[in-house]
Structure formats: structure tokens, C-alpha cells
Amino acid sequence: MNFKERLQRATERGRQIRAAQLNEEAAKALSEEECRRLHSQYRLAHSDHIEKCLSDLADNFPGFRLETIVDEDGWGAAVSRDDLGLAAGRRNTFFSRMRIVVSPYSQYHVLDIAAKGTVRNKEVLSRNHYQRLADVDLQTFRELIESWALDYAELYSAAV
């Protein structure tokens, strides 16, 4: 095989490599859209479940107000209440809040849910769970959301 034939083969291999790279980039762009779609689908399902769980929590403890959360931190819900206490002639205010949100879509392709709970001005609960979008188990997230709401209810009941 002479130099010209080897040059032509090398050129053809280079063209094939470039075509493969273009195909891979096109597939990656499609998978990025698919990831965004999956995140949106999971976010909607979990946001509704969060709102339902926290609504039930608010119904169980009179005085809690439910609010829907849609901001740069994510989508979800929170329940909160303010209490007034009198001790030794002094007035004290106590703040209690439980918040669960699904974080916005990120470049890391994960579904992330975070919870924070405060009882009488003290943070008593801080939880976070995430999974890659390709590996998300919806039932696991649903159970965690319910578990976190129940944990908060127990902590709140013990404190008041």
C-alpha cells in the first residue's frame, strides 16, 4: 500500500470520527431535553404530594397555615404558625415552620428534594435526598416526603 492510499484511508477515518461526534452531540442534546421533561414530570407529581401531606399536617395541628412555594429554591409547600408565650411578665413569640421543596432542574441531571423544619424558633429537622433522573424511584421519594412530614409532626407534638 502506497502513501496516497494510506492518506485516503486516514482521511476517511477522520470523516467517520467527525460524523460519529456530530451524531453523539445530537443524541446528547436530545437526552438533555429528555432530562428536562423527566424533571418537570417528577416535580409536578412530587409537588402535589408535598402539598397534600403538609395540608394534612396543617389540618392536624390547628393554627398552621399552608402556603404553596414556587420560587428560585424550587417548588413545594410549607406550613407555618406563630405562637405567643407569656413568662415572668414577658411576651415571647415562637415561630414554627415545615417546608419541603423540589429543587429546580440543574446541569447535574438529578431530582433533589429538601426539607427543613423549625419548632418554636429552633431548627429541628433538615433533610435532603436526591437521585439521578435516569434512576428515580417515585415511590421512594413519596415515602420520604411522608416520613419527613411525620417526623416533623412528632417533633412538634413533643415540643408543645
Side-chain angles (χ1 to χ4, degrees):
M1 189 179 319
N2 66 21
F3 177 76
K4 280 191 173 190
E5 290 173 347
R6 290 187 353 221
L7 180 62
Q8 287 176 349
R9 286 186 180 180
T11 303
E12 186 57 34
R13 283 194 307 269
R15 286 185 187 135
Q16 290 173 354
I17 289 171
R18 179 67 181 149
Q21 287 173 341
L22 290 174
N23 287 340
E24 185 178 316
E25 287 176 11
K28 184 177 179 182
L30 180 62
S31 68
E32 182 72 20
E33 267 311 303
E34 180 66 14
C35 285
R36 285 185 186 280
R37 187 191 64 74
L38 278 174
H39 185 273
S40 180
Q41 175 186 343
Y42 296 151
R43 174 185 50 87
L44 289 172
H46 291 311
S47 295
D48 290 341
H49 190 64
I50 290 167
E51 193 165 344
K52 181 192 173 303
C53 288
L54 292 182
S55 175
D56 291 347
L57 182 101
D59 290 344
N60 194 52
F61 296 107
F64 272 96
R65 295 173 310 280
L66 176 71
E67 64 181 275
T68 302
I69 296 174
V70 179
D71 60 21
E72 67 276 351
D73 294 334
W75 295 265
V79 290
S80 62
R81 70 179 281 159
D82 294 318
D83 293 311
L84 181 64
L86 297 171
R90 290 185 37 180
R91 182 173 57 140
N92 296 319
T93 57
F94 300 103
F95 177 74
S96 298
R97 178 179 172 100
M98 175 64 175
R99 169 187 168 116
I100 304 176
V101 294
V102 179
S103 298
Y105 179 77
S106 71
Q107 66 187 14
Y108 303 110
H109 308 293
V110 296
L111 181 66
D112 180 25
I113 296 183
K116 282 197 184 236
T118 304
V119 174
R120 298 180 64 86
N121 299 344
K122 293 181 183 174
E123 186 173 310
V124 295
L125 183 130
S126 180
R127 305 280 193 278
N128 193 3
H129 183 75
Y130 64 91
Q131 284 183 337
R132 290 176 36 91
L133 287 171
D135 304 329
V136 167
D137 178 14
L138 292 175
Q139 189 60 33
T140 300
F141 277 97
R142 292 177 70 83
E143 290 169 1
L144 280 172
I145 291 165
E146 292 169 4
S147 173
W148 295 344
L150 293 172
D151 289 348
Y152 181 79
E154 185 176 332
L155 292 167
Y156 181 80
S157 293
V160 293

